[in-house]
Each structure stands twice: as C-alpha cells, then as structure tokens.
Amino acid sequence: MSSIVKFSEAASIGLHGTVLIAKSENFLNVNKIAEKIGSSRHHVAKVMQRLAKDGYIRSMRGPTGGFVLLKKPEKISFLDVYESVEGKVSTNDEYSNIKETEAIDKKILKDITKKMTQDFINYMKKQHISDYI
C-alpha cells in the first residue's frame, strides 16, 4: 500500500531518541536507545551524532556515558530535530517549472505539495520535546 507522507527511519530515531533522552534522569547511551526503539545501534549512533553536531544533545564517552540534552525540552521543536537529521525543509514546489500546455491550462496539482509541506512545517514547529515527556 502506498503512503503520501512517510518519515525516514533516521527522522523517527531522531525524534524518539530525543524524547527518550529528555525523559531520562541519567545519561542514555546508544545501546539503551536502540533497544527501546527497536533500531540498530549503528543507525542510532549516526543520528545522535548529527543532533550533537547541531547542539541539541551532548555525548559523553565511557562506561557511564551517553547522551543528555543541551537545550531545555520546551526549546526543541520537532522541526528542529527533523531538520537536524534530514536537512532543511523547503516549500519550493519541484514541479512548478513544468510548462503548461494548451491541453492543460491549469496546474493539475494546484500547489498541493507546497501547502502540504507548509502544513507539515507549521505542525512540527508547534510540537516540542517537552510535550512528550
């Protein structure tokens, strides 16, 4: 079955992992995050590196190490995490440069992809890590 909108595994790991880190009273390591969300340790580590690079979490090495939030959970939106993992979301319509023909005098999709993307951005901006603790 087809689906119009689908999150990548990396985006899902980023969001779920960040919430788990925020909920934890101690450092939460890659193994625990991977176990709780059912993903590979390697993929979790890669996603967490991106979030650390962008300043959302901090990584501590060692047997008692793991991850901790660098910002307050209410200051981290889902859009922040999503864009850290996937890159900036653009509302540019990739099909807007298709030339209209005499047979089709109006855009068939009428900018629906642009509207859906903007709705997604607005929704993700309103959701914060603190909402899920």
Side-chain angles (χ1 to χ4, degrees):
M1 181 178 269
S2 179
S3 133
I4 299 294
V5 177
K6 191 171 186 176
F7 268 57
S8 70
E9 182 181 2
S12 182
I13 290 169
L15 291 169
H16 288 92
T18 305
V19 169
L20 288 171
I21 292 166
K23 283 182 167 185
S24 180
E25 293 180 14
N26 302 312
F27 286 96
L28 195 60
N29 67 31
V30 169
N31 292 331
K32 288 179 184 173
I33 296 171
E35 181 183 311
K36 288 183 184 231
I37 64 176
S39 191
S40 82
R41 181 187 177 291
H42 177 72
H43 203 173
V44 169
K46 189 174 179 182
V47 170
M48 294 299 123
Q49 285 175 347
R50 291 184 205 163
L51 291 167
K53 180 182 172 218
D54 287 343
Y56 295 107
I57 62 174
R58 182 179 62 178
S59 173
M60 297 294 289
R61 293 181 185 258
T64 59
F67 301 100
V68 62
L69 290 185
L70 281 178
K71 297 182 178 187
K72 293 183 179 186
E74 60 272 12
K75 299 288 185 186
I76 305 173
S77 74
F78 275 21
L79 185 63
D80 294 330
V81 174
Y82 185 88
E83 289 187 333
S84 178
V85 174
E86 295 293 340
K88 184 95 172 121
V89 179
S90 171
T91 56
N92 291 339
D93 185 355
E94 62 185 89
Y95 301 108
S96 63
N97 61 350
I98 294 176
K99 295 187 176 165
E100 297 175 9
T101 67
E102 289 180 21
I104 304 171
D105 59 354
K106 295 182 181 177
K107 287 184 181 178
I108 295 172
L109 298 176
K110 296 185 181 178
D111 297 323
I112 188 67
T113 55
K114 187 173 184 176
K115 181 184 180 330
M116 288 173 64
T117 302
Q118 191 59 57
D119 288 347
F120 173 78
I121 290 168
N122 292 339
Y123 175 82
M124 296 294 276
K125 279 182 182 176
K126 291 177 186 174
Q127 303 302 309
H128 291 84
I129 298 302
S130 59
D131 298 334
Y132 297 89
I133 297 176

